[in-house]
Each structure stands twice: as structure tokens, then as C-alpha cells.
């Protein structure tokens, strides 16, 4: 497997997201995923926190909008801004979102004469499960940037907020995606973690729904259904996004000429299930499912080890239980790199 | 190869060093090396710069001593301070060095009742080639910490500064190492990149010289000679240190019972060439040599690609030439992970 070489041609990625000292969210997981699959990553960290916020307590500092701009200026002045792709995740506050948007716009502008030479994957991190966890003014900041993105990866709630369409079933989901194509001319969309009550199903089913628009802006929709694992994991969205960067690049590279088309948009004669976005999403979900399974399997042991290692410090409180469980739910990736490199695709895309 | 599993048992490492957005020095290379070899890494970044200082220009900010302390407090309050090993590299300023020392001392203290359960690898980053590149007061700050370290990795200049012995040949080098064992009771020492004029040798030869002290504090010295590659690479010390963390742990794990001895110190009946430190250093140098060879081979192409990609922006000045060359000398690691996982040992340790 390791002899088969990297999944993608030489790819320089600017990854803008949060950094945590311990654990695996934001750039802490995205950078490892991208590097493991052969990308040269420039990692611009938007915060440095001790751990992710799911622990309900953390220490550390945010990076200001000015610092983000300065770091990019630092790259430019040394000819280090030659990026093929950009991935943006959590950005603290509207000003910082605008600063990251300026970077993406500038890189996009620079690539105008060579279509396809720069591709921005935008994860508009704003909230989940019906609630914003960023300031209100972050929403319009993102809305004004979407037009520059090539692929966006909202979760169900973020798709609702950005499209203005309430998503209650597959029809309204399709309308939301069409609205995002229409309003922002955004070429590729994947809505991660769609969850509807499914009558007659014993265990919950999750879907990922995606679309690459046609030349006249119509959604070409596919969905992939996969079994949910009954546990809350942090960092899954960030891992999904990083994998999409690599697998999209890989799938596009496999189609002669496609990499030189603006936004890597397939012609109208391409069947929906042959869209690189669908191919990429299948492979991404395969990796995700393997990593989450490994993580789930290891949790019990990690809880026990943590308790053993902290004799005398643990008080048996509810807070302690939450902290230990949260630690045990950190994604188990570094010891299972084969889940990244050569996952077995079990869940296939279907036309919607 | 990827089926053979990680090189080390589950190992949680606290890595404290600099972060650069683009390129491969400090934690940017150490974290990837450690993760690629299966370690769960907590990465505490002491600076965030756009690029390394070898470019002679950069932007970004340093993290204060207080922020370093806060981040560690954040880990502690969520039971995330259960580290098996710590690796410390570049730390900006004497106060920050003291803050990192407090962390190491606390982790060491906590492990007192279970010998071998915590191991600190200290790279005392202060200068090179006869010159300090940190403030004068960093030197005494490091001196007061060395007694808590298990393995230190100074270069030749740093070994001189810390031992007070001027190193001009193998004899004075041996004296410097003995002085470091004597003065600081530091169990393991590797001096990276030793370079003496070698009469009659056409190309320069570099050596790494190491010692694990005996029960009565005597140096047990070995050296490994390897051919120099005629180019200046940044980040080699950081990569060396990260590899030493993994290979030392691996070599110690292979000796029954050794992992439960204080500082993993082998008994006096162990032959010098059987010291885990010697075994580890051989494997580390093998990886280093492969990565530097790959980097060296790719440089010409990277210079050309960079120039092609910056048409109209390059002015042909000396400054531009330096920047492009420096970029091309960034370590080529992400596309050659096999150099990390299964290097071929060509250069063997010899008793000194």
C-alpha cells in the first residue's frame, strides 16, 4: 500500500482552521490527513486552544484578523503563496472570516488566467443541531464570500442558515441545494450529516447529499446513506473536509482535461454518479466510517486507562465523567493510517 | 509495510516547539514525524510564523510564557496531561524556557513513583556554527533545566556552551559529553552534526556522537559517521529529535524491563553498541539520510516550478534567488513517508 505512492499529484494546500494542543479537531486533524495523503500543507492556525470546546472547558487564545492577514503577507513576500487548493474551517469572528475571504479572493484572482489552477473548499463552520455557535455577524460575513468558493461543505443546519430554506425532508434538502447554487453560483456542494426520522428503520441512518451544478446551474444530486455510530465525536466535519480536498483532487485528476476547467466542473454529459464529487464522497465516507469504528472500539479501554493513570485525582463527579468520555472519543487516526490511504468503499452514491 | 503496525506502543507525546505556516521546521515537522510513526501528539506551539527564519524575512507572533503555562493548565484541568514523553525544541526567550521547564519538572515529579513512565527529550535550541541566535539569558535558563531532562540533543556549538568545553577534536568532544553527564546528571546525550576537518578525506564527513551514562556516571560513547550532503537544510535538528523520540521508545521497548527503569538507563553489563540510544541513532540517521537525499534530488525542479509559477513577480535579484532556493530546500517528507517508517540502516554505530 505504501508503495503505491501518494493519492494526488504534488498539491500545495493552504489550510486555515483552529489548532488544539491535545486531540483531533480543526487543523490538528486536517493537516495530518492532508499530509498523510501526500499534500504539502501550509497550516494557518486561527486559534491555539488546549483542547476542543466539547470538553466544556479550555484555555488558549484566538488569532486576530490582522494576524491572519499578516501571516498571509509573510507567505506572499517569500513566494510561498503558490497554492493549488485552500481549505478553510473554523475562523473566530466576522472580521477574521472577512480576512480569510480576502486571502481566498486574492488567490482566486491570481488564478483567473489558468482555470482550475486554484480550488477553494469552504467549510462554513457556524453551528449545528439548530444552534449557531458563532456570533450572529459571522453569517453575513460567510454569505458575502460563498461566491468565491468552489466547494462548500455545510452541515444540515448551516445549509439552512445560508440558503434560507428549512430542511425537513429530501425535497426541501434538494431545494436548499438548488438555492445555494442559484444564489451564490457555488459549483459544488456537499451537505454532511443529514438526519431525518426514517419510519420503519430500527437504527438511525445518516446521509451525505451532494451536487455539482450543470452548465445552466441545475443541481445534479446524489446521496450516500451510511449507518450512524451511536456516539458524539468531535472533529468529524474537519476530517471529512480534509479528505474531500484530497479525494476531489484525485477524482478530478483521473478525468483528462477536467483539472483545467474552471472550478473542475464536469460537462453536462457526465452522469451524476460519475461526477468526481460523488466518487470523492464515497471514498471519504469509507475512510470516515473506518476511523469512527476504530475510535468507537477503543473508547472503553481509553476510559479505563485514563482512570488508572489519574488515581487520586478523579472524584467520580459528572464533570469528570464527561471529560474522560470526551477524551476517549477523540478520533483514533494516528494508529490507523490505513483507514486514510486505502479504505474499502461500502456505501455507494445513488442518484436522488 | 503499513501492515506491520506502528513502531511504538501507544505513546502520548507533548511536543513543544515553533509552528510555521509554510515549510518544515519545529513542530511543523516534528508533529508529522511523530504522528506518522503512531504517536498521539499534543502540539504546544511556541510561535506561529509564516515561514522559518532562514528565509531572512517572516511574519507572525510569539506565544508568551504565560500563554504556555495557561495551555498546560488547560490540559491538566481536563486530565489531558497523561504524557509518556515530552519533546521540547525552540522556545522564544528565557521566561518561556523557564515555563516549559516547569511543565517538564511537574510531569517528571508526577512520574516519580513509576520509574520510566515519563521521558523528556530536550533539544536546547540556542545557536549553531559558533553563534547564539537566542538572547544571552536563555543559556542559564537552559542550564537550570538540564537536570530534569532524560536525553539532550545539542549540536556541537550548544554542547560547548552548556559544557564549557571547547570542542576541537574527538577527545575534547568526549570531555564535553563527560562534563554534561557530570554537571547535570543527564543520562543520555547525542551531539548532532559534529564536523571536524578530516585530513585526507575528499568530501566532508559528519558524525553524530552519543552516550548513555553508566551507573557511576561514566560516558559510554559511540559515534556514527555519515556523508554530508552539500546543501543547507532547515529543520534537520527538529526532524532528528522527533525521530529520536520514537526510535528510543522503540529500542527501549525491545529490551524486557528497561522501560520500567529510571530514565531507561541500561545496566552496566550492556555493551555500548547494544545501548538503545545507539540503536535508535542508527535508525534515525538512516531516515535523515533518505529524506535529505530525496530533498536534494527534488530541489532543481522546485526552483523551476516556483519561477514558472511566479512569472512577472520575480525580479532576478539576489534576494529572490535566496528565497526560491530556501523554499526548494524545505524537507521533502510528506511524499516520502517510507523514509520514516522503514529506512535502510547503512551507517553503523562504532565504539569511540
Amino acid at each position: 500500500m505504501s508503495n503505491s505512492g501518494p493519492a494526488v499529484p504534488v498539491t500545495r494546500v493552504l489550510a486555515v482552521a483552529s489548532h488544539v494542543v491535545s486531540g483531533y479537531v480543526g487543523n490538528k486533524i486536517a493537516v495530518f490527513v492532508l499530509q498523510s495523503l501526500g499534500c504539502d500543507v501550509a497550516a494557518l492556525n486561527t486559534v491555539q486552544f488546549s483542547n476542543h470546546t466539547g470538553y466544556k472547558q479550555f484555555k488558549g487564545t484566538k488569532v486576530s484578523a490582522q494576524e491572519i492577514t499578516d501571516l498571509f503577507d509573510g507567505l506572499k513576500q517569500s513566494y510561498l503563496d503558490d497554492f493549488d487548493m485552500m481549505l478553510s474551517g473554523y475562523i473566530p469572528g466576522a472580521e477574521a472570516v472577512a480576512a480569510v475571504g480576502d486571502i481566498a479572493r486574492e488567490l482566486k484572482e491570481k488564478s483567473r488566467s489558468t482555470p482550475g489552477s486554484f480550488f477553494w473548499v469552504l467549510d462554513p463552520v457556524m453551528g449545528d443541531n439548530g444552534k449557531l455557535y458563532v456570533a450572529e455577524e459571522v453569517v453575513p460575513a460567510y454569505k458575502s464570500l460563498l461566491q468565491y468558493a468552489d466547494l462548500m461543505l455545510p452541515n444540515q443546519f448551516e445549509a439552512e442558515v445560508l440558503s434560507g430554506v428549512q430542511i425537513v425532508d429530501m425535497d426541501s434538502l434538494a431545494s436548499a441545494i438548488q438555492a445555494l447554487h442559484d444564489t451564490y453560483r457555488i459549483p459544488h456542494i456537499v451537505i454532511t450529516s443529514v438526519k431525518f426520522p426514517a419510519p420503519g428503520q430500527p437504527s438511525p441512518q445518516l446521509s451525505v447529499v451532494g451536487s455539482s451544478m450543470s452548465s445552466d446551474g441545475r443541481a445534479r444530486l446524489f446521496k450516500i446513506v451510511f449507518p450512524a455510530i451511536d456516539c458524539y465525536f468531535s472533529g468529524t466535519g474537519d476530517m471529512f473536509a480534509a479528505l474531500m480536498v484530497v479525494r476531489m483532487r484525485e477524482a478530478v485528476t483521473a478525468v483528462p482535461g477536467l483539472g483545467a476547467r474552471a472550478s473542475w466542473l464536469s460537462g453536462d454529459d457526465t452522469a451524476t454518479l460519475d461526477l468526481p464529487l460523488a466518487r470523492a464522497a464515497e471514498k471519504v465516507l469509507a475512510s470516515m466510517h473506518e476511523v469512527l469504528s476504530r475510535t468507537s472500539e477503543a473508547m472503553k479501554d481509553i476510559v479505563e486507562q485514563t482512570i488508572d493513570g489519574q488515581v487520586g485525582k478523579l472524584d467520580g463527579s459528572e464533570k469528570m465523567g464527561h471529560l474522560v468520555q470526551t477524551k476517549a472519543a477523540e478520533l483514533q487516526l494516528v494508529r490507523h493510517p490505513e483507514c486514510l490511504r486505502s479504505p474499502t468503499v461500502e456505501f455507494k452514491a445513488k442518484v436522488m
Side-chain angles (χ1 to χ4, degrees), chain A:
Chain A
M1 261 177 307
S2 54
N3 291 326
S4 62
V8 287
V10 171
T11 303
R12 216 166 124 70
V13 181
L14 175 61
V16 184
S18 53
H19 172 74
V20 287
V21 175
S22 183
Y24 297 96
V25 305
N27 260 356
K28 186 75 180 299
I29 190 146
V31 172
F32 180 64
V33 167
L34 292 164
Q35 289 177 330
S36 291
L37 294 169
C39 296
D40 178 19
V41 184
L44 200 165
N45 296 334
T46 56
V47 311
Q48 177 166 222
F49 290 165
S50 54
N51 49 269
H52 70 69
T53 57
Y55 287 84
K56 297 185 190 159
Q57 57 180 11
F58 63 92
K59 304 215 172 185
T61 51
K62 296 176 179 180
V63 171
S64 71
Q66 185 60 51
E67 280 171 273
I68 292 171
T69 302
D70 285 348
L71 286 168
F72 185 67
D73 286 346
L75 297 178
K76 276 198 293 186
Q77 74 177 356
S78 294
Y79 310 112
L80 297 170
D81 59 338
D82 53 344
F83 297 111
D84 303 296
M85 300 183 76
M86 172 166 159
L87 169 63
S88 62
Y90 175 70
I91 306 163
E95 265 188 74
V97 168
V100 173
D102 286 344
I103 293 171
R105 208 167 50 206
E106 185 172 333
L107 291 169
K108 196 95 199 170
E109 205 59 55
K110 204 172 61 146
S111 75
R112 198 164 293 277
S113 61
T114 48
S117 65
F118 175 72
F119 191 97
W120 179 20
V121 177
L122 167 65
D123 182 1
V125 181
M126 297 191 300
D128 205 356
N129 299 314
K131 267 192 295 206
L132 276 186
Y133 42 58
V134 295
E136 289 276 350
E137 61 266 29
V138 169
V139 179
Y142 268 118
K143 284 184 174 172
S144 70
L145 296 182
L146 292 181
Q147 61 188 302
Y148 304 105
D150 298 288
L151 164 57
M152 70 183 286
L153 303 170
N155 59 31
Q156 187 175 330
F157 172 68
E158 289 155 352
E160 286 183 333
V161 169
L162 294 170
S163 69
V165 177
Q166 216 199 325
I167 300 174
V168 292
D169 53 19
M170 282 293 169
D171 284 346
S172 50
L173 181 65
S175 304
I177 289 180
Q178 188 61 59
L180 291 170
H181 282 316
D182 291 346
T183 313
Y184 306 105
R185 306 302 298 168
I186 191 156
H188 308 276
I189 300 164
V190 175
I191 306 196
T192 59
S193 71
V194 173
K195 199 178 189 173
F196 300 130
Q201 289 281 358
S203 66
Q205 295 242 304
L206 289 173
S207 308
V208 154
V209 175
S211 164
S212 293
M213 71 183 188
S214 65
S215 60
D216 59 353
R218 272 178 309 103
R220 290 182 280 187
L221 291 159
F222 62 88
K223 80 169 171 178
I224 309 174
V225 179
F226 58 98
I229 291 176
D230 187 23
C231 175
Y232 186 77
F233 300 107
S234 293
T236 51
D238 307 309
M239 184 176 160
F240 187 97
L243 284 165
M244 277 303 297
V245 165
V246 177
R247 296 305 177 193
M248 185 67 181
R249 171 91 160 169
E250 179 186 45
V252 166
T253 304
V255 181
L258 184 54
R261 293 177 67 138
S263 292
W264 302 347
L265 255 180
S266 303
D268 294 345
D269 54 339
T270 305
T272 299
L273 296 185
D274 290 335
L275 290 171
L277 192 68
R279 289 279 82 82
E282 284 176 344
K283 224 162 175 176
V284 168
L285 277 179
S287 283
M288 295 293 300
H289 190 70
E290 291 187 18
V291 170
L292 294 182
S293 301
R294 301 298 181 104
T295 302
S296 181
E297 287 156 19
M299 281 185 73
K300 198 165 149 276
D301 282 353
I302 295 177
V303 168
E304 280 170 19
Q305 282 157 20
T306 303
I307 291 172
D308 285 352
Q310 300 277 353
V311 175
K313 275 182 67 185
L314 296 181
D315 55 10
S317 67
E318 197 181 316
K319 178 180 167 186
M320 179 219 87
H322 170 74
L323 293 171
V324 172
Q325 284 292 338
T326 305
K327 175 172 186 257
E330 293 279 7
L331 298 176
Q332 288 284 321
L333 190 52
V334 292
R335 296 185 75 81
H336 302 293
E338 71 284 0
C339 302
L340 292 183
R341 280 196 286 272
S342 46
T344 307
V345 173
E346 272 185 78
F347 316 110
K348 293 281 201 173
K350 298 199 174 86
V351 176
M352 244 176 80

